[in-house]
Amino acid sequence: MKHSLALILCLLLGGCFLFPDKEDPGNVPPSKLFADAMDDMDDGNFEGAIKKFEILESRYPYGKYAEQAQLEVAYAYYKQEDTASAAAACDRFIKLHPTHPSVDYAYYLKGLVNFNENMGFIAYLVNEDIAERDPKSARESYETFKELVTRFPNSIYAEDASARMRFLLNSLAQHEIHVARYYMKRKAYVAAANRSQLVLQNYPQTPAIEEALLIMVQAYDAMGLNQLRDDAERVMRYNFPDSKYLSKVGDATKPWWKLW
């Protein structure tokens, strides 16, 4: 009887090895592991998906599943709003697979990551501390979309990337305007004029040009730089003959921020 019990115990223990735990990802083929991770993605379980994709890549580092897992990890981080990890994953994929058929998507996703981060920046445009804000994410998003459009002009993502680039340019120009307003309110006229000049130089096709010229006129007038004031006003009248600001441009009793 003792021998029978010992034999049964050995068989039961051995069964643990004969029939591996189906939950052990090390015993799951890459196709199944990838499918399970995608199921987690569909269910919104991005953390679980990331773990499975990372296990897949570590156990099966070569082949189509590992490559696709790297891209899906970037998307999962994006959905988790983990900006740094998502951007890093996109950069890694681009570096490892520069000729991959989906590398344009990696660029697009990286642009989206920073674009959404930029939306938080835009929400601060009305705040008093705007001069302390750094639109780094907006610039990075613009440069990423620009590279996508330049390298892959026929990509299915190129049209949307171009539209987002225009939006980003406008938001960057508007940022400079808000900073110029900040300086004007504090009578830092040189700084205000310089910020407005940056708009003319870097964002010449944006709607912010009109207000940039106005600020320059007001700043130069406040500093008594009549020639520069007249030059800026002449440019403004030529380019915006119907501007709502023109009737107030020469009225020193009405500061520019009270024109609305």
Side-chain angles (χ1 to χ4, degrees):
M1 183 66 179
K2 291 182 179 180
H3 293 295
S4 298
L5 290 174
L7 179 60
I8 292 172
L9 181 59
C10 289
L11 289 173
L12 289 174
L13 291 173
C16 294
F17 299 97
L18 292 173
F19 304 99
D21 185 354
K22 64 180 180 178
E23 296 301 323
D24 181 3
N27 295 304
V28 178
S31 58
K32 178 65 164 60
L33 194 53
F34 184 85
D36 289 346
M38 292 303 293
D39 286 341
D40 283 344
M41 293 273 277
D42 291 339
D43 293 338
N45 181 15
F46 301 113
E47 184 175 354
I50 289 170
K51 290 180 179 178
K52 288 185 175 68
F53 284 133
E54 290 177 343
I55 291 171
L56 189 161
E57 185 183 358
S58 66
R59 293 188 179 273
Y60 308 99
Y62 306 106
K64 63 179 183 179
Y65 289 110
E67 293 178 358
Q68 190 63 31
Q70 294 167 9
L71 203 55
E72 297 297 341
V73 162
Y75 180 74
Y77 278 127
Y78 166 69
K79 294 296 290 184
Q80 277 192 319
E81 299 184 355
D82 187 341
T83 302
S85 296
C90 289
D91 284 335
R92 180 169 180 263
F93 185 87
I94 292 168
K95 182 178 180 179
L96 292 175
H97 312 290
T99 61
H100 192 280
S102 297
V103 72
D104 60 332
Y105 173 73
Y107 279 104
Y108 180 69
L109 182 57
K110 182 184 175 183
L112 281 182
V113 168
N114 285 312
F115 184 87
N116 286 350
E117 186 76 2
N118 173 67
M119 299 309 291
F121 151 74
I122 292 175
Y124 283 91
L125 287 180
V126 297
N127 288 357
E128 290 298 316
D129 65 345
I130 187 61
E132 302 301 321
R133 302 293 300 179
D134 182 6
K136 178 181 177 182
S137 60
R139 294 193 182 99
E140 290 180 350
S141 180
Y142 178 83
E143 291 301 325
T144 302
F145 284 137
K146 182 179 179 180
E147 188 166 2
L148 165 62
V149 172
T150 301
R151 291 190 58 189
F152 308 98
N154 297 321
S155 169
I156 61 173
Y157 307 107
E159 183 176 354
D160 185 70
S162 296
R164 291 177 188 274
M165 286 171 64
R166 290 190 292 271
F167 176 85
L168 287 166
L169 277 181
N170 288 338
S171 68
L172 286 167
Q174 198 60 39
H175 168 74
E176 299 297 339
I177 291 297
H178 277 272
V179 174
R181 290 177 181 175
Y182 174 92
Y183 287 136
M184 284 293 288
K185 288 181 180 181
R186 284 152 183 78
K187 300 181 179 181
Y189 301 121
V190 173
N194 287 341
R195 284 287 183 164
S196 299
Q197 188 66 38
L198 284 176
V199 176
L200 270 63
Q201 293 173 350
N202 298 331
Y203 312 107
Q205 303 302 320
T206 63
I209 288 291
E210 181 179 1
E211 192 170 347
L213 288 167
L214 169 67
I215 295 173
M216 290 173 68
V217 171
Q218 294 284 342
Y220 291 142
D221 186 60
M223 292 186 287
L225 300 176
N226 297 338
Q227 183 61 55
L228 291 175
R229 177 202 62 199
D230 293 344
D231 289 344
E233 182 177 346
R234 183 167 57 253
V235 173
M236 183 179 178
R237 290 184 180 278
Y238 179 82
N239 287 279
F240 302 98
D242 299 321
S243 174
K244 63 181 179 181
Y245 304 126
L246 286 176
S247 63
K248 307 294 184 180
V249 160
D251 190 348
T253 65
K254 295 186 177 180
W256 69 273
W257 57 86
K258 295 182 180 179
L259 296 180
W260 290 273

